C-alpha cells in the first residue's frame, strides 16, 4: 500500500506519520519548500520526501493520496489521479478510519474556531479525555497516531469536507454560512453551501446535527434536503421547543428533556455572534451529558481565541482589539456589531469579491475613522469615502497603528477587522494579527 501526501503542512505531515505507523509506504511531495522541523520529523520516521516539485511518476503510482486542503481539485495532477481512479482524500478522511473515538465536527463561514475552542474547553473542564484539531492546532491525523483520546473536537473547513467520503461525526455543527472562498467554487454560492453540508451527509438517526436556524442559507438548504440526524437548532430571534434560544437576556437550551439556563451577561465572550457560539457549544455539552455547573463555569471563564476580537491593550484610554481572523465581510459585521464605543476601523487586504453594503449601517453608527491597510484600497475608499469624514491609507502595520493612535481619543476603540485576506502585505492572518499586537504593545 503506497500513500502519497501532497503538501507538507501540519495536516500533510500528520497524515504521513499516521500512514507510516499503519504500514504504508509513504512519500511526501510539495511544490513549495518544506519547513525544516517537518523535514526532520519525516527523516526521523524514514519517510521519503521531495520539495519544489511533484515528480509525476512518484505520485501517480499511489494506492491512496492525501491532499492538502490548499490544493484545488482542478490542479492538473489531482485530475490525473482521479482519472486513474486513485482515491484522493483529505487528512480528515484518512485519519477517521483509524479511530473509534467520538467525533464532534464543527464548520461554518465564521465562528467555527471560537465554537471549536469553546466546546473543547467545556469538555476538557468536565474531565473528558478530549483532543482538539482539524483546521486548528495539531492535525487530527497526528493525534490519531500519537494520542489515545476518547473524543475529538474538530474544526473543519469546506476544503477539508470536500475531501471526505466516509467521514461521519457523531455530532455535527454548522455555525453559519455566508459567501466565502467562492473562487474555489466557480463563484457559485450554492456549491459552497453544499460543501459545508457535507459534514452531515454520512450521519445516521442516532447522530446529532446542531445548526443556526436564523441563517437563511442553512434554512433554505434544509428545506430541499433530507438530514437523517437528530436536529438541534439554535436561535437568538425565536423561541424553540428543542434546541437553544434566547428569552430576554437568558440562554435556554433544551435537549432530551434536560434544560440549561444562563444569563448572557455571565458569558466571558461578548457580542450576539458569541451568544450563538455559546449556544452551539452548550448544546454539544448537553448532548455529552456534561454537568450544568461545569458548563456555566466554563462559559464564564473561557479566554477566547487569538486574532478573534482579542483585546490587546488599553493605551491612554483607547482599547486596541485584534480581529485579524475576520477575513470576510460577515466576520467584520459581527465585530462592528459588538463595538460599544466610537471606533477607528483598520480594514483592507486582498478583496475576495466583497460586498460592503451590509456593513454600511454599522459603519454609519459606530465608525469615526477608517484606516485602509492594503496594496489596493480603492474599493473601500469609493464605498465609504462619502460616509466617513476621515479615510486614510497605510501600507504597513506600523503606519496603520501610528495613524490610529493619532485619530483616536480617550474612550475610543481601535479595531483591526480587515474583512479581507492578508496575502498582499502579510504571510497570513496570524502574521497580520501578531504584527498588530507587537506594534500596539510598543505604544
Amino acid at each position: 500500500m503506497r500513500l502519497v501526501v501532497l503538501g507538507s503542512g501540519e495536516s500533510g505531515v500528520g497524515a504521513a506519520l499516521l500512514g507510516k505507523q499503519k504500514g504504508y509506504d509513504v512519500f511526501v511531495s510539495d511544490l513549495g519548500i518544506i519547513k525544516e522541523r517537518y523535514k526532520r520529523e519525516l527523516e526521523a520516521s524514514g519517510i521519503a520526501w521531495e520539495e519544489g516539485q511533484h515528480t509525476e511518476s512518484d505520485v501517480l503510482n499511489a494506492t491512496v493520496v492525501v491532499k492538502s486542503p490548499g490544493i484545488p481539485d482542478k490542479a492538473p495532477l489531482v485530475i490525473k489521479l482521479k482519472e486513474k481512479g486513485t482515491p484522493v482524500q483529505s487528512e480528515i478522511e484518512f485519519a477517521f478510519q483509524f479511530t473509534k473515538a467520538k467525533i464532534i465536527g464543527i464548520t461554518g463561514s465564521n465562528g467555527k474556531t471560537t465554537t471549536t475552542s469553546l466546546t473543547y474547553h467545556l469538555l476538557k473542564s468536565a474531565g473528558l479525555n478530549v483532543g482538539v484539531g482539524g483546521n486548528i492546532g495539531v492535525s487530527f491525523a497526528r493525534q490519531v497516531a500519537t494520542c489515545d483520546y476518547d473524543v475529538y473536537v474538530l474544526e473543519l473547513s469546506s476544503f477539508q469536507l470536500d475531501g471526505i467520503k466516509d467521514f461521519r461525526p457523531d455530532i455535527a455543527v454548522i455555525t453559519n454560512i455566508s459567501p466565502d472562498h467562492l473562487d474555489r467554487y466557480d463563484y457559485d454560492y450554492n456549491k459552497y453551501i453544499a460543501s459545508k453540508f457535507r459534514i452531515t451527509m454520512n450521519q445516521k438517526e442516532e447522530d446529532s446535527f446542531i445548526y443556526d436556524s436564523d441563517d437563511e442559507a442553512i434554512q433554505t438548504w434544509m428545506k430541499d434536503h433530507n438530514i437523517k440526524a437528530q436536529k438541534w437548532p439554535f436561535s437568538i430571534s425565536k423561541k424553540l421547543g428543542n434546541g437553544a434560544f434566547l428569552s430576554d437576556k437568558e440562554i435556554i437550551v433544551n435537549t432530551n428533556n434536560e434544560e440549561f439556563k444562563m444569563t448572557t451577561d455571565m458569558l466571558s465572550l461578548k457580542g450576539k455572534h458569541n451568544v450563538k457560539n455559546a449556544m452551539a457549544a452548550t448544546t454539544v455539552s448537553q448532548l455529552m451529558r456534561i454537568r450544568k455547573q461545569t458548563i456555566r463555569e466554563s462559559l464564564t471563564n473561557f479566554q477566547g481565541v487569538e486574532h478573534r476580537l482579542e483585546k490587546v491593550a488599553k493605551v491612554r484610554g483607547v482599547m486596541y482589539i485584534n480581529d485579524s481572523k475576520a477575513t470576510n465581510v460577515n466576520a467584520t459585521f459581527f465585530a462592528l456589531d459588538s463595538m460599544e464605543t466610537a471606533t477607528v476601523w483598520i480594514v483592507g487586504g486582498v478583496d475576495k469579491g466583497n460586498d460592503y453594503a451590509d456593513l454600511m449601517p454599522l459603519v454609519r453608527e459606530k465608525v469615526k475613522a477608517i484606516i485602509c491597510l492594503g496594496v489596493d484600497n480603492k474599493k473601500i475608499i469609493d464605498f465609504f469615502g462619502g460616509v466617513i469624514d476621515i479615510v486614510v491609507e497605510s501600507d504597513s502595520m506600523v503606519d496603520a497603528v501610528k495613524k490610529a493612535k493619532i485619530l483616536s481619543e480617550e474612550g475610543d476603540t481601535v479595531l483591526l477587522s480587515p474583512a479581507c485576506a492578508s496575502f498582499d502585505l502579510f504571510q497570513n492572518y496570524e502574521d497580520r494579527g501578531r504584527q498588530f499586537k507587537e506594534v500596539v504593545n510598543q505604544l
Side-chain angles (χ1 to χ4, degrees), residues 215-316:
D215 189 290
E216 188 180 340
I218 291 174
Q219 287 287 60
T220 301
W221 199 93
M222 287 179 68
K223 280 176 193 162
D224 299 328
H225 299 84
N226 181 44
I227 289 171
K228 289 182 181 174
Q230 298 171 51
K231 299 178 192 66
W232 301 102
F234 58 87
S235 169
I236 61 170
S237 65
K238 53 185 177 279
K239 294 193 176 180
L240 302 169
N242 269 331
F245 65 93
L246 211 51
S247 180
D248 294 323
K249 289 190 174 179
E250 190 171 51
I251 293 172
I252 299 174
V253 185
N254 286 313
T255 55
N256 301 321
N257 298 317
E258 284 281 325
E259 186 176 75
F260 171 88
K261 290 185 176 183
M262 179 175 173
T263 57
T264 54
D265 58 11
M266 287 179 66
L267 295 175
S268 63
L269 300 180
K270 303 306 175 188
K272 291 176 194 167
H273 61 298
N274 279 321
V275 171
K276 289 190 171 187
N277 295 337
M279 285 175 167
T282 301
T283 304
V284 173
S285 300
Q286 285 272 93
L287 293 171
M288 296 286 288
R289 305 288 186 189
I290 304 302
R291 287 177 62 243
K292 293 184 179 69
Q293 187 56 31
T294 302
I295 297 173
R296 205 169 278 113
E297 287 170 3
S298 299
L299 291 172
T300 305
N301 64 28
F302 180 63
Q303 292 301 306
V305 175
E306 190 181 15
H307 312 301
R308 172 62 85 209
L309 284 173
E310 178 189 9
K311 290 180 179 175
V312 178
K314 194 172 241 188
V315 183
R316 295 187 183 87

Side-chain angles (χ1 to χ4, degrees), residues 11-66:
S11 68
V13 173
L17 294 172
L18 177 59
K20 181 74 174 180
Q21 185 193 82
K22 299 301 178 186
Y24 285 81
D25 168 30
V26 183
F27 178 63
V28 175
S29 176
D30 198 313
L31 265 181
I33 302 301
I34 301 175
K35 289 181 180 175
E36 285 302 320
R37 66 185 174 100
Y38 288 143
K39 283 180 187 174
R40 289 195 294 271
E41 274 195 292
L42 294 171
E43 285 167 359
S45 298
I47 295 171
W49 55 267
E50 67 174 354
E51 62 183 359
Q53 62 182 5
H54 290 313
T55 304
E56 286 202 3
S57 58
D58 289 333
V59 173
L60 294 176
N61 63 357
T63 312
V64 61
V65 171
V66 170

Side-chain angles (χ1 to χ4, degrees), residues 360-379:
M360 187 60 87
L362 289 170
V363 171
R364 285 178 187 275
E365 178 191 350
K366 307 200 177 202
V367 174
K368 65 184 284 186
I370 290 175
I371 298 169
C372 301
L373 177 60
V375 171
D376 181 5
N377 302 308
K378 185 176 186 305
K379 188 172 173 181

Side-chain angles (χ1 to χ4, degrees), residues 90-153:
S90 68
E91 166 249 341
I92 298 296
E93 174 77 6
F94 181 72
F96 175 71
Q97 66 188 306
F98 298 114
T99 181
K100 289 185 167 60
K102 197 174 190 77
I103 305 286
I104 298 157
I106 299 169
T107 194
S109 301
N110 296 295
K112 59 182 178 290
T113 303
T114 299
T115 303
T116 301
S117 301
L118 180 54
T119 301
Y120 171 70
H121 176 65
L122 284 160
L123 302 187
K124 181 91 172 159
S125 299
L128 271 62
N129 178 29
V130 56
V132 62
N135 202 39
I136 57 170
V138 178
S139 65
F140 180 37
R142 182 191 291 270
Q143 292 184 71
V144 170
T146 60
C147 308
D148 189 24
Y149 291 121
D150 300 323
V151 183
Y152 286 99
V153 184

